[in-house]
Amino acid sequence: MNGDDEEDEEGGDETIEINCLDVAVDSAGAVTSLVVTTDGESFRSYVVFHPRIDRPGTVLYETDSWCHSLWRAEDGPIYVVDNDGFLHTTERGRFERIDLGAPMGLYRLVEVAGDLVTCGADGVVLRRRGGTWTSIGRPLTADLYGVGGTADGTLYVVGDRGTAARIDDGGWHDLALPTDSTLLCVHPWGADEIALGGENGVFLLGAGARWRLVDPAPSAHDLCAVGSGLAVAAAGAGVALFDGAGFRSLKEDIDAQAVAASGRYLAVAAGDAVWRFDGTTWKHRTFGF
């Protein structure tokens, strides 16, 4: 299907489970999605591009790797990480699969202070500077599902059973958080704080050794900045907006797994569809392969 239009609405095989796992959007509203299909035994991953959300997209890439996370800058190369510790990228003009030397799966890929950073199984963390990927992780019994950081390059990683750490020039600093729930996402908040989100409605704000729970909160699978707030991919609760004081719903009745924003557009990976919000209207495309 490479280069072909993805099927629209009712075009899929009912025995195939389709999950849109990650998304990127540019300031013109063009959306790039990461989609995984499985029949329970085999699976395939697809990168799909929608120049316009009201028309079927084009499959840019497909692979038999189970991919987890996608990152793309405005009109830039596409980067995807997979369950075998590989990077798939168009950096040299077409997709190629690169072994990053990670022993196991990579689950999240983000940009922090101009560097690409990925994290994954057993405490792996890799950072790309000047075109070179370097391991800055350490062996852990916990998997890491979220990574983010601040403008000075300080990183925060989160994962299983409330695992969290800060990584700076002084190395790793474990964080003692008031939760043992699995944490999934990290994003800067305000001038000097970090937001951490995860399962069971756990949402924390803080920095260093000082953290506070925000309650009540939805479960948070992903975060992105929208205006002066944070958009929250809240799984079965849809999409919420955190404004510093609390949460309000932006979109219900979708299973939101990832969010991304650029300009006036917010894009959401949710179940078998990708959604886009322009500040007034929600539109979506349903995938079928």
Side-chain angles (χ1 to χ4, degrees), residues 10 18 27 66 116 152 185 198-200 209 217 240 264-265 271 280 286:
E10 301 297 331
I18 300 173
S27 58
W66 189 295
L116 288 180
D152 65 0
C185 50
E199 296 179 349
N200 304 318
R264 65 189 180 97
Y265 294 102
T280 303
T286 300

Side-chain angles (χ1 to χ4, degrees), residues 1-6 57-62:
M1 294 181 63
N2 199 13
D4 297 334
D5 287 348
E6 52 95 3
T58 298
V59 176
L60 302 180
Y61 182 58
E62 62 177 288

Side-chain angles (χ1 to χ4, degrees), residues 100 125-129 132-137:
L100 295 185
V125 183
L126 301 166
R127 178 162 52 196
R128 180 181 182 270
R129 278 185 171 167
T132 301
W133 288 90
T134 302
S135 174
I136 56 173

Side-chain angles (χ1 to χ4, degrees), residues 19-25 31-35 68-71 107-110 145 184-185 187 219-226 231-236 238-240 251 254-261 265-277 282:
N19 289 289
C20 186
L21 298 182
D22 210 350
V23 66
V25 63
V31 175
T32 306
S33 302
L34 173 63
V35 184
H68 288 285
S69 186
L70 171 148
W71 187 84
Y107 302 141
R108 186 62 62 99
L109 177 66
V110 301
Y145 301 120
L184 300 170
C185 50
H187 202 281
S219 294
H221 284 224
D222 195 20
L223 301 167
C224 74
V226 177
V232 183
V239 184
K251 177 68 176 172
I254 61 173
D255 185 15
Q257 298 299 314
V259 286
Y265 294 102
L266 172 67
V268 184
D272 63 354
V274 60
W275 291 78
R276 196 194 68 185
F277 183 54
W282 286 93

